[in-house]
Every structure is written in C-alpha cells, then in structure tokens.
Amino acid sequence: MLLFKSLAQKATASRSLFLNSSFSIRNSSTMFPENKLRFIPTSGTYPLGFFAGSLCCGIKKTLRNDLTFIYSSTPCTASAAFTKNLVKAAPVTFDKSLLDNVKASGTPTIRAVVVNSGVANAVTGIVGMANCEKMANAADKLMELCDKDSKNPIVSSSSSSLNKTLVMSTGVIGQQLPIEKIVSGISNLQGKLGSDHEHWFQAALGFMTTDTFPKIITKRLQLPSGKGSFNLCGIAKGAGMIHPNMATLLSSVFTDASISQAALDNALSYAVDLSFNSITVDGDTSTNDTITVLANGQASTSTGNKWEIQLENDPDFDFFKTSLAEFLKELAILVVRDGEGATKFIEINVTNAGSTEDAKKIAKSIANSPLVKTAFYGQDANWGRILCATGYSYPSSFNPDTVCLYLVPKDGSPQLPLLVNGQPIPFDEARASEILKPEDISILIDLGISKHSATVYTCDLSHEYVNINGSYRS
Amino acid sequence: MLLFKSLAQKATASRSLFLNSSFSIRNSSTMFPENKLRFIPTSGTYPLGFFAGSLCCGIKKTLRNDLTFIYSSTPCTASAAFTKNLVKAAPVTFDKSLLDNVKASGTPTIRAVVVNSGVANAVTGIVGMANCEKMANAADKLMELCDKDSKNPIVSSSSSSLNKTLVMSTGVIGQQLPIEKIVSGISNLQGKLGSDHEHWFQAALGFMTTDTFPKIITKRLQLPSGKGSFNLCGIAKGAGMIHPNMATLLSSVFTDASISQAALDNALSYAVDLSFNSITVDGDTSTNDTITVLANGQASTSTGNKWEIQLENDPDFDFFKTSLAEFLKELAILVVRDGEGATKFIEINVTNAGSTEDAKKIAKSIANSPLVKTAFYGQDANWGRILCATGYSYPSSFNPDTVCLYLVPKDGSPQLPLLVNGQPIPFDEARASEILKPEDISILIDLGISKHSATVYTCDLSHEYVNINGSYRS
C-alpha cells in the first residue's frame, strides 16, 4: 500500500515534469483516475537502440497525443498477429502484405512503427490503402533524416525498396485519415525522438483513445544459458471493441533480444494465445486488432558475446516464449483493467474441463454475458447467470452433476463454494458481498470432467460503459 | 394515433375493472408504461374449451400474480420446444419426459399448463424435479375438481397414469420453489377459472418477471379449404436472458384447432425458427426457454363438420404453419419491445447472403453487439460498429467490396445509404438522427453475394438495463 502511494506520487510528479517539457504537447487536460495511478510506471528498462516520440497533430478533437513513432537504429526481426475479423482495416492489410514481402525477401528490413489514434482507417477503400503508404513513406523519410543526424550513423543493411515502417491506426471506423495533418505531424517529430522514459511514456499516450491511462510496461531478463540479457518494452491500448481474435486493438512490443524469424513468430503466436486472446471487454472483435514485435538484437551486438535465440534445440527459446507470454499477459490485463466503464477486474478460471478449447469457450461465454457482467457491477453473487452462460457455450463435454462453482477471495482466505457437484450450497450472502467488493474478483468453475483449464480476464458492465458508447462519435 | 389513444384509455379502464374484480389479487401496484399501453389488448377471440386463471401465492416479493393455470376441458394434441442450454431447468426436463411418454402411449392426454414466476426451479437437483411433479399433481387434482363442477362433465378419454399438466417456471436460478405456497395456491384457484378476456389477461400477468407489460395476443383464422375456422391465443414473457435457442423463456399457445401430432410438431418447429429463434435481448440463452402449444380440437368438434389438419397432402397445413409463424413472430416482437431497459425496437435485415444460415448469423452478431446496441441507444449512426459485428460473425461467404448498409425509415421515406459496395457514403447526419429518433428502427445489410436473407429483432442497451441487472436478486 505504501509502495502504491509512493508510486502514485511519483507518477504525479512525473506528469508535472512532462507538462513543462518541450515535447509535452498540451497534455494539461490529461488526468488519470486515482485508482489507476499504481499501473503507470515512472521509470523503465528500455531496449537498446530504439527511439520514441509522440505529439498531437490534430486528429483528435481534444489536444492529446494522437501520433506516435518508434524506430530502431538497426533493422529488426519483425513478427505480428492481426484481427481475424473479415472486415480488416487498411493498416492490417498493409502490414500483413509488407511483412509477407519482407519474409519472402529473406532480409529483415523493418525498423519502425507509426501509430495514430482518433481514426481507425477501417472501411476506407482505396484511399485508405494509399494513406497507409503515405504514412509509411513519411515515417521512412523521417528515419532517414534521423540516421543522418545520428552521431553514429548506421549503414542500412539493405537497399530494399520495401517500406521499413509498420502502420497502425485506431479510432472511429469509416472515416478517412486527415492524411496531410499526419504526414506533417510525422516530419514535426524530427528532433523530438529519444530513448528516455519520458519519450516512451509520451509514445504510450499517443496510443490512447477511450483509455483512461497509458499502458506501458518494461522488463529486463537474463537468458538461462547465461549468454546474455535483454530488455522488453510493451505498449497497448484498449478500451472498447475488445475481444481480440489474434491481438487487441493495437499493441507493440520492442526488444533488443537477438532472435531468429522462426523463433519470434512461434513465440508470438504462443504468447498471444495466452494473453490478448484470453481477454474480453465487450465481445466485439475489432477490425484493427494488431500486435507487432520488433527485435533489433542490439542486446547481443552491443556486447562482445554474440548470441541469437533459435527455434530448435535452444533452451533459451522456451524461456523467451514463456517470458513473452507472461509479459503480454501483464499488458493485456492492463487493457482489461481499463475496459470502457470498468469498475471490476474479473478473473475467470475454468478447470478440469474435457479440453483446453472447452475451458476457454466456457470462460469466454461467462466473460461476455451481459447478465454476468452487470451482476458483478452490482456486487451480486448471482451464480445462476454464471452457470447459465456455461451451459449455452455448448462445450463438447459437460456434466451438470459434476460442476462446482466458487468465489475466490483475492486475500488468500478460503474459497466460498456456491455450487458443489451441481447442487446449490446455502452460502453466507454477507461473506459473498465482502468478496465481491474489491476491484479484483476471481471465480472458479470446476467442471470435474478431465484435466484441462483456461483463464480469461474481463471487466464488468457499468452505467459508464453505456455513457461512453451511447455517444462515442459525438 | 387516435386509435392508440383510445386503446390506451380502454386498457386503463380495463385495468380499473380488474382491480375491483374478485380474482384481481392486489394488482393495484401494476402500472404499465404509457408507450406500451397500445400493445395491451382489451378483448380477444379466445379458443373454445380453455379456462384460465391466476393469483398471487406469495413467490414474488411484490404482491403480483405469480401463479397461472390454463386448462382445456378435453385432452389436447401437445407440442413443445425447449432451450438447448446444457444447463436445463427441472421443468424443462420434466415436460420433455412427460411429452415423450405421452407420444409413446399414442393417446393425447395433456390438458393444461401451470406456470409460476419468481423462481426458475433451475439448478435445483432432485428436490427441483420432485417439486415439478408436486406442481403437476396439484394441477391435475384441481382439474379433476373442475371437471366434477362442470355442468357438462367430460369423461376423460384415457385412464393414463401420466400427468395431464405441463409445468413451467421462470425467475431466479438456483433457488428452490416455495412448493407449499404453490400447491395451496393451485387449490385456491378453484372457482376462479374462466374463459373471459379478464381471466386470460390475469393469466398473462402471472407469467411476468421483469416484464413491464403482459404479452397476450389472439387471432381468429379461417381454413383455406373452407372446412372451418379456429382461434389462437398466445402468452409470452421476457424480458432478460433472452436469446432463445428453441424458444423464449416461457410462451404458451392455446388453440381450438384440430390437428394431428405430426402436423403440430412440424408447424411448431417451423414457426419457432422464424419467431422466437430470431430475437435477442442480451445474447443470454436461458436455462428455462420453453414454448408449448395445446390444441384441443374443439373448433372442429363443436360443429357438425369434423376436420383435422394433417401433415401430408393437406392444403390447410401450409396455412396453419405460416399462420402460426406469423402469430409467434408477433408474440416474439412483444418480448423484444419489452427487453430489459429497452428504449428502441430494432429490426435487422440481412439480404443477399450466401445462405440463410449466414444471413441469420450476421444479423444475430449485430443484434448482440454491445457497441451496436449502445450506439442505437445514443441514436448515433455509428455504422462502423455494425460492419465490424458483421465481420466477426465469420459467415462462410463474405466480400467487403459488395456490402451495402442502409438506415430504413419506418415512415416509408427513402432509405439512407451509409455504405455502398464497401465504400463509405457521406451522409446527412441530421437526417440520420431523425431516422434514429423514433422507437422503431430498421437497418438493412445487403451482402451482394447470393439471394438468401434473414431478419432478427432486438432492442438497445440502456442505462436502465444496467440498473435492472446490477440488482436483480435484491
């Protein structure tokens, strides 16, 4: 508790600092909710060789950061996962094709991501695709200028004609980007990019739409082989249309680890399944869901000992994969904590299911039920709704007579059984209310069939959700 | 408009009447919303040979009708459809088994339905099953007494030991029925059953939970063969946990038509698909969804000309099937109009899809999207959310470049195109707001692929929905 208080104070101090710094573009209106300050870091261990910056170029009606650019001084191994929605935003199509071409060329050339918030560039036809290219071209040009300005200019390893920047957009669907504002905004970022915490923090602010706080985390990890260590930085945004079917609406991870293309692709796919694909705010799978990972290898090249994580026969790979999954889970949880109108963070654990697929299907069905979500909002142990949502998720194995249902207090005190072997258990309503009072709630559904399990994270459905979404465009 | 006003006045007058009648059990607190009065009939053409009644036996905390009994003076051909939720309430299991046994016996013996509201008798184990039997036994006993009291006692056509009454329950999941109250409530109905509009109206009141008005409709129909005519009466209840996967949470239809078992089963299955299975309030498929149809044939036996509708080679069958579908659709629409917290009634038409299944899948996905529902609540033409929900419904055929999207004004004025062949169309926001202002809203999604279509009915997601469901049990 003391720690949180101190962090919160630091965050406040840190924000005041930004307001006076040269690149803090009229963020004086930025106020984060008191109970979220503990999730806003005041420092970080950032990956080597990356430079970040953000500004307000005038896409959003409010004067908040809406354009972020992050680049590596050297080419990166790049991997990404995209929405499975059949309606795909232009940047999704653009990035997918760019990454395919880069992989086909056999030479890693991607170095940057450029992100705008406010307009999603989704359902924008040919103009939308052309605007992606304009954004990527402007970003590539900025990077060239930055390379020239650099004290240690790095000779590009490739003369490829492919773009070097991945493009991401988030915001309202069906509107064209104000592309002139964005292109001139990108060029205005020259001289404003850096590798300090403040630069990264501003970059995270530029990802936000209806988010109430920026989501940015970092981690420094030691390879188990002892070959070296590396840094991870992840940024994400929520806060509505969140039911990722590949990744949430925009997340970017940057690392100075050295890793092969095959290993990075495999690790990302594994990690996304356990993190972003295990959260839901409203059951709406966005048209723009994108997560990118850029690995520039500078943690290896900056030392005498060169290393590269490989997919096969490399004990470091399992470590990287598991660490990335844990890291993305932490980031995904922040997205849920900031779900539109959320007052509760709810962990739904399904155990002893017939298959992992069944367990996840049940957990997601519960997580998306408006009746379950409103019951949690009302701090009401209305477990019938949970069981009902279990039943209509139609798992392949289900036995009503072996289902158990518990409230799991987050303070470590004993679980409160509500249903045991399909039979309702008379329970202490006062105790249930006590367990449902804190922000963090956990429930356990034990199917009693086999040994498979899954965890899904979600939030409640509040009056504020209706406020936000009843008037989002206006 | 004048008509509605007059109907409303009639409904008010009619309610005053009930308050003074002997069987109006403390319904003085019953007030229906002004804008729903036009859906409350003040008279009806009820099927011959059925008798209805309702009272408050003390299940609900408020003093409203919570126990309804409707019986036929002669055995009926009976058919029913039930929830597909894997968690099935005790009455669902009870009725399904009873109907199977009746069908196996080859002799129609069902004569009645008994319905309680307030407690759903779901997830109640062995006690719950025993309570179903107690309810059915009490109802059968009441019916025997009524038969003896009758001026024209009908000799039962069967000495079957099977129950003659179908049981339905609706309300909170996981609580046991107050069975003593219910059993004595059933016996208290003796002498209070009748066939007037007032009796049926009270019966419909007894179905209600969070419904704001009773749902009861009647129709008199002439067989195209000229053999005769018959009457239909339908009662339904909403208003949450409505995403029927077979039928809504409790609906009963009574008819004096004479129809074979095979023909009735076939007609019900057809009609349910086009009506109750095409509506959704919150995407939550209940544990109790049940629709029953009882056909006593008295429209035929009461005349000299005996007739019975047959499944094969009978032109009257198609007429009956289509009429039943239209009738159930009317009833289902009332359930949507009274969706929890609903301020809008929304018709979602999907046309030119690759298959009927695709069309329905898309329409349901749009109907269940919290983002779409809140946008309609806010009267916001945020069509990107509609297209997004189309994309993540994953139809088997979809082409983003042929999709068109229109707002369809209910006053017959021209449609407002928002998206044509995948391209956003600049539209008049003021005109869109005008179209989205009335209670009734209609949208059209033309996929431009093949010739299949579907219509789904839903309501919006309002602050009131959160009010209701944040504190349902308390």
Side-chain angles (χ1 to χ4, degrees):
Chain A
M1 198 55 206
L2 249 181
L3 174 72
F4 287 170
K5 222 173 194 167
S6 138
L7 269 178
Q9 283 161 351
K10 273 195 198 171
T12 311
S14 175
R15 277 199 315 284
S16 315
L17 188 74
F18 297 139
L19 299 179
N20 300 321
S21 74
S22 64
F23 50 78
S24 139
I25 310 90
R26 290 156 296 182
N27 264 307
S28 51
S29 61
T30 303
M31 282 295 297
F32 310 124
E34 190 67 29
N35 67 337
K36 293 302 188 309
L37 291 181
R38 67 187 193 273
F39 303 120
I40 306 173
T42 54
S43 66
T45 56
Y46 293 94
L48 300 173
F50 283 97
F51 301 87
S54 185
L55 49 68
C56 168
C57 74
I59 307 172
K60 289 180 188 167
K61 285 174 193 165
T62 55
L63 298 177
R64 301 192 179 190
N65 288 10
D66 50 23
L67 185 66
T68 286
F69 180 64
I70 301 169
Y71 83 101
S72 159
S73 59
T74 51
C76 302
T77 307
S79 189
F82 301 100
T83 185
K84 282 184 182 152
N85 194 314
L86 298 181
V87 178
K88 290 180 207 309
V92 168
T93 308
F94 180 86
D95 289 353
K96 211 171 168 318
S97 148
L98 176 55
L99 285 172
D100 285 349
N101 288 331
V102 168
K103 280 186 197 172
S105 80
T107 315
T109 46
I110 297 295
R111 287 179 55 194
V113 296
V114 62
V115 183
N116 79 273
S117 50
V119 173
N121 193 8
V123 201
T124 45
I126 305 159
V127 178
M129 285 304 294
N131 284 342
C132 287
E133 210 177 331
K134 285 180 188 169
M135 273 177 81
N137 288 344
D140 285 356
K141 202 170 147 192
L142 170 64
M143 203 154 34
E144 253 177 60
L145 297 171
C146 293
D147 285 348
K148 279 184 195 155
D149 279 0
S150 165
K151 288 164 199 160
N152 305 307
I154 311 250
V155 183
S156 178
S157 63
S158 148
S159 60
S160 163
S161 65
L162 295 171
N163 280 108
K164 295 174 181 63
T165 305
L166 295 170
V167 175
M168 290 190 263
S169 299
T170 175
V172 182
I173 296 176
Q175 292 181 6
Q176 295 294 355
L177 292 173
I179 191 66
E180 303 306 330
K181 285 183 186 174
I182 291 175
V183 167
S184 73
I186 292 172
S187 69
N188 287 339
L189 278 163
Q190 203 188 349
K192 288 168 186 159
L193 303 164
S195 53
D196 298 339
H197 172 71
E198 288 77 4
H199 290 98
W200 285 96
F201 185 80
Q202 288 291 329
L205 290 178
F207 273 66
M208 292 168 65
T209 52
T210 51
D211 304 66
T212 68
F213 68 93
K215 286 141 201 92
I216 178 165
I217 59 173
T218 61
K219 202 165 248 175
R220 182 167 179 77
L221 293 161
Q222 199 78 33
L223 290 174
S225 65
K227 284 181 191 160
S229 61
F230 62 96
N231 301 291
L232 283 166
C233 171
I235 300 175
K237 58 126 353 228
M241 221 177 251
I242 300 292
H243 178 90
N245 196 344
M246 231 15 221
T248 186
L249 185 55
L250 302 206
S251 175
S252 283
V253 175
F254 307 91
T255 178
D256 47 19
S258 174
I259 182 163
S260 75
Q261 182 72 54
L264 188 61
D265 289 348
N266 186 302
L268 179 62
S269 159
Y270 170 83
V272 161
D273 207 46
L274 291 176
S275 57
F276 287 107
N277 285 355
S278 292
I279 65 168
T280 181
V281 167
D282 49 18
D284 278 287
T285 302
S286 156
T287 51
N288 288 53
D289 290 350
T290 300
I291 176 165
T292 61
V293 187
L294 266 57
N296 68 7
Q298 292 194 24
S300 161
T301 51
S302 67
T303 66
N305 274 347
K306 293 265 170 70
W307 51 268
E308 189 186 61
I309 301 168
Q310 301 295 332
L311 178 59
E312 309 281 353
N313 304 320
D314 184 350
D316 285 342
F317 175 67
D318 267 350
F319 173 77
F320 182 85
K321 189 169 96 162
T322 317
S323 305
L324 186 65
E326 275 307 306
F327 189 75
L328 291 190
K329 204 166 101 179
E330 204 178 310
L331 206 50
I333 283 174
L334 290 181
V335 172
V336 176
R337 285 198 184 277
D338 199 17
E340 285 177 336
T343 73
K344 301 283 182 193
F345 170 72
I346 307 157
E347 185 181 308
I348 296 161
N349 293 292
V350 176
T351 60
N352 298 321
S355 68
T356 308
E357 200 186 30
D358 271 5
K360 201 158 180 177
K361 200 193 259 183
I362 291 169
K364 281 215 166 173
S365 178
I366 295 168
N368 281 324
S369 159
L371 288 173
V372 171
K373 291 167 104 78
T374 45
F376 279 126
Y377 176 55
Q379 304 183 2
D380 179 10
N382 197 329
W383 59 264
R385 296 178 180 179
I386 298 171
L387 196 70
C388 178
T390 304
Y392 70 67
S393 72
Y394 309 112
S396 49
S397 321
F398 183 74
N399 181 351
D401 298 330
T402 58
V403 186
C404 303
L405 216 153
Y406 307 88
L407 292 184
V408 185
K410 299 295 272 185
D411 61 4
S413 59
Q415 300 175 347
L416 183 69
L418 305 175
L419 186 82
V420 171
N421 293 326
Q423 301 291 326
I425 301 294
F427 64 92
D428 179 355
E429 288 274 358
R431 176 70 188 128
S433 293
E434 225 172 71
I435 298 174
L436 295 177
K437 217 166 203 168
E439 183 182 325
D440 287 25
I441 292 173
S442 179
I443 60 168
L444 170 64
I445 300 96
D446 181 337
L447 292 178
I449 290 173
S450 181
K451 291 282 154 208
H452 304 278
S453 61
T455 301
V456 162
Y457 305 92
T458 192
C459 55
D460 57 341
L461 173 55
S462 69
H463 288 103
E464 188 56 17
Y465 179 86
V466 181
N467 283 342
I468 294 167
N469 287 302
S471 60
Y472 176 51
R473 291 193 321 157
S474 42
Chain B
M1 199 56 206
L2 249 181
L3 174 73
F4 288 168
K5 222 170 192 168
S6 139
L7 269 178
Q9 284 162 348
K10 272 195 196 166
T12 312
S14 175
R15 278 200 314 284
S16 314
L17 188 75
F18 296 139
L19 298 179
N20 299 321
S21 74
S22 63
F23 50 80
S24 139
I25 311 92
R26 291 157 293 182
N27 265 305
S28 52
S29 60
T30 303
M31 280 295 296
F32 310 123
E34 190 67 29
N35 68 337
K36 294 301 189 307
L37 292 180
R38 66 186 194 272
F39 302 121
I40 306 173
T42 52
S43 66
T45 56
Y46 293 94
L48 299 173
F50 285 97
F51 300 88
S54 185
L55 50 69
C56 169
C57 73
I59 308 171
K60 290 182 189 167
K61 285 174 192 165
T62 55
L63 298 177
R64 300 191 181 192
N65 288 10
D66 50 23
L67 185 66
T68 287
F69 180 65
I70 302 169
Y71 82 102
S72 159
S73 60
T74 51
C76 302
T77 307
S79 189
F82 301 100
T83 185
K84 282 183 183 154
N85 194 315
L86 298 182
V87 178
K88 291 180 207 308
V92 168
T93 308
F94 180 86
D95 289 352
K96 212 173 167 320
S97 147
L98 176 55
L99 285 173
D100 284 350
N101 288 332
V102 168
K103 280 185 196 173
S105 79
T107 315
T109 46
I110 298 295
R111 286 179 55 192
V113 297
V114 62
V115 183
N116 79 273
S117 51
V119 173
N121 193 7
V123 201
T124 46
I126 305 159
V127 178
M129 284 305 294
N131 284 342
C132 286
E133 210 178 329
K134 284 181 189 169
M135 271 177 83
N137 288 343
D140 286 355
K141 201 169 148 193
L142 169 64
M143 203 153 36
E144 252 177 61
L145 297 173
C146 292
D147 285 348
K148 280 185 194 152
D149 278 358
S150 165
K151 286 166 200 157
N152 303 308
I154 310 250
V155 182
S156 179
S157 63
S158 150
S159 59
S160 164
S161 64
L162 295 172
N163 279 110
K164 294 174 182 63
T165 304
L166 295 170
V167 175
M168 292 190 262
S169 299
T170 175
V172 182
I173 296 176
Q175 292 180 7
Q176 295 293 356
L177 290 174
I179 191 65
E180 304 305 331
K181 285 183 186 174
I182 291 175
V183 167
S184 72
I186 292 172
S187 69
N188 287 339
L189 278 164
Q190 202 188 348
K192 288 167 187 159
L193 303 163
S195 53
D196 298 339
H197 172 70
E198 288 78 3
H199 290 98
W200 286 95
F201 185 80
Q202 288 291 330
L205 290 178
F207 273 66
M208 291 166 66
T209 52
T210 52
D211 303 67
T212 68
F213 67 95
K215 287 145 201 86
I216 178 166
I217 58 173
T218 60
K219 202 166 248 175
R220 182 166 180 77
L221 292 162
Q222 198 78 32
L223 289 175
S225 65
K227 283 182 192 162
S229 62
F230 62 96
N231 302 290
L232 283 166
C233 170
I235 300 175
K237 63 136 336 240
M241 221 176 251
I242 300 291
H243 178 89
N245 196 345
M246 236 10 226
T248 188
L249 184 53
L250 303 206
S251 176
S252 283
V253 175
F254 307 91
T255 179
D256 48 18
S258 172
I259 182 165
S260 75
Q261 183 72 53
L264 187 62
D265 288 349
N266 186 303
L268 179 62
S269 158
Y270 171 84
V272 161
D273 208 46
L274 291 176
S275 57
F276 287 107
N277 284 355
S278 293
I279 65 167
T280 181
V281 166
D282 49 19
D284 278 288
T285 301
S286 155
T287 51
N288 288 55
D289 291 349
T290 300
I291 177 167
T292 60
V293 188
L294 266 57
N296 69 6
Q298 293 195 23
S300 159
T301 50
S302 67
T303 65
N305 274 346
K306 292 266 168 70
W307 50 268
E308 189 185 60
I309 300 168
Q310 301 295 333
L311 179 58
E312 310 282 353
N313 305 319
D314 185 350
D316 284 342
F317 175 66
D318 267 351
F319 172 78
F320 182 84
K321 188 169 97 162
T322 318
S323 303
L324 186 65
E326 276 306 306
F327 188 75
L328 291 189
K329 203 165 101 181
E330 204 178 312
L331 206 51
I333 283 174
L334 289 181
V335 172
V336 176
R337 286 199 183 277
D338 199 19
E340 285 177 336
T343 74
K344 300 284 182 192
F345 170 73
I346 307 158
E347 184 181 309
I348 297 163
N349 293 292
V350 175
T351 60
N352 298 320
S355 67
T356 307
E357 201 185 31
D358 272 4
K360 200 158 181 178
K361 200 194 258 184
I362 292 169
K364 281 217 168 172
S365 178
I366 296 168
N368 281 324
S369 159
L371 289 174
V372 171
K373 291 167 103 80
T374 46
F376 279 125
Y377 175 55
Q379 306 182 0
D380 179 8
N382 197 330
W383 60 264
R385 296 178 179 178
I386 298 171
L387 197 69
C388 179
T390 303
Y392 70 66
S393 71
Y394 308 112
S396 49
S397 321
F398 182 73
N399 181 352
D401 298 330
T402 58
V403 186
C404 303
L405 216 154
Y406 307 88
L407 292 183
V408 185
K410 299 296 272 187
D411 61 4
S413 58
Q415 300 175 348
L416 183 70
L418 304 174
L419 186 82
V420 172
N421 293 325
Q423 302 291 325
I425 300 296
F427 63 91
D428 179 356
E429 287 274 0
R431 177 69 188 129
S433 293
E434 227 172 72
I435 298 174
L436 295 176
K437 216 164 205 169
E439 182 182 329
D440 287 24
I441 292 172
S442 178
I443 60 168
L444 170 63
I445 299 97
D446 181 337
L447 292 178
I449 289 173
S450 181
K451 292 282 156 207
H452 304 277
S453 62
T455 300
V456 161
Y457 306 92
T458 191
C459 55
D460 57 342
L461 173 55
S462 68
H463 288 103
E464 187 57 18
Y465 179 87
V466 181
N467 283 342
I468 293 168
N469 287 302
S471 59
Y472 176 50
R473 288 194 321 158
S474 40

